[in-house]
Amino acid sequence: MPVRTPDPDPGDNGDEREPLSTPFSGAPSGSGPNTNPAWLSEVELAEARRRLPMLYVEALPVRTDGMGAVTQVGILLRATPLGEMTRTLVSGRVRYGETVRDALFRHVENDLGPMAFPLLPPQPAPFTVAEYFPLPGMSAFHDDRQHAVSLAYVVPVTGTCEPRQDALEVTWLSPEEAASEALSAEMEGGRGTLIRLGLASVGALR
């Protein structure tokens, strides 16, 4: 199944959402003029994707107990531009001039709401680097639009998660359920593999 990671909001309209309404839409989501000089038009984005790898961050939201052990894993439900329902992770592009930490915080807030309260260290370290290719079989990850390089993180959240924008709901699963083949079959772009790698990195798989 092709991956449909969100694209950045062209304006700084407070929400700074990277909408998943369609990966081919270049129209600003806000009513004001384009205030982001790094925003690419529809044509420019297509050309950049044809020539350059695109940088993304992805987050596996988790809840932990008092000892720091993972007890639940948050999986998002989204509707693709083709109308299909798919399971996925928090994800999105890194903007020009934006730190990886800021991009990670922004996407967690965009998908899980401002009260999710993610716990991010000053210098977050990814548990893996996932390479998405437009041609299947080159890696465990696939994106039919582009070659994308994704820095993947396990992110504990301590607040209330209320999915918004294109994220329809978040389902909290046990680590065993999140790592299951049944869930992996519902994940887009090979992200079931990413979930297992993330859980293994924090000792949540036995």
Side-chain angles (χ1 to χ4, degrees):
M1 181 179 293
V3 59
R4 294 297 180 190
T5 43
D7 293 323
D9 187 340
D12 294 325
N13 57 5
D15 186 25
E16 296 191 5
R17 176 59 187 150
E18 299 198 0
L20 189 69
S21 55
T22 169
F24 310 108
S25 173
S29 61
S31 58
N34 182 357
T35 57
N36 185 351
W39 172 252
L40 298 177
S41 69
E42 192 173 323
V43 174
E44 290 169 332
L45 179 58
E47 182 66 12
R49 281 176 164 156
R50 189 175 71 85
R51 293 174 177 268
L52 301 168
M54 309 301 288
L55 179 62
Y56 284 77
V57 291
E58 295 188 275
L60 178 61
V62 299
R63 295 197 185 278
T64 59
D65 61 18
M67 300 297 292
V70 172
T71 58
Q72 292 182 307
V73 181
I75 305 298
L76 295 178
L77 178 68
R78 280 196 175 114
T80 72
L82 301 178
E84 299 172 336
M85 304 302 288
T86 184
R87 297 287 182 180
T88 190
L89 305 180
V90 172
S91 62
R93 292 219 309 268
V94 179
R95 290 175 172 171
Y96 178 82
E98 182 179 45
T99 68
V100 167
R101 186 182 189 278
D102 286 345
L104 193 57
F105 185 89
R106 176 169 56 86
H107 288 298
V108 171
E109 184 177 86
N110 285 342
D111 282 339
L112 300 182
M115 303 302 290
F117 299 142
L119 299 179
L120 296 178
Q123 299 292 331
F127 64 81
T128 194
V129 177
E131 291 188 89
Y132 292 85
F133 291 96
L135 298 177
M138 295 185 67
S139 79
F141 310 103
H142 174 239
D143 184 332
D144 63 349
R145 302 169 298 162
Q146 61 189 348
H147 174 195
V149 177
S150 177
L151 308 177
Y153 302 83
V154 175
V155 178
V157 294
T158 60
T160 302
C161 296
E162 297 181 354
R164 55 183 188 157
Q165 304 293 333
D166 52 274
L168 302 179
E169 69 176 36
V170 58
T171 302
W172 293 98
L173 305 173
S174 69
E176 293 75 21
E177 291 171 327
S180 69
E181 290 297 330
L183 180 69
S184 184
E186 299 181 32
M187 301 297 292
E188 58 179 5
R191 285 191 171 93
T193 299
L194 207 59
I195 291 175
R196 288 190 288 272
L197 289 173
L199 292 175
S201 74
V202 294
L205 289 184
R206 296 179 176 84

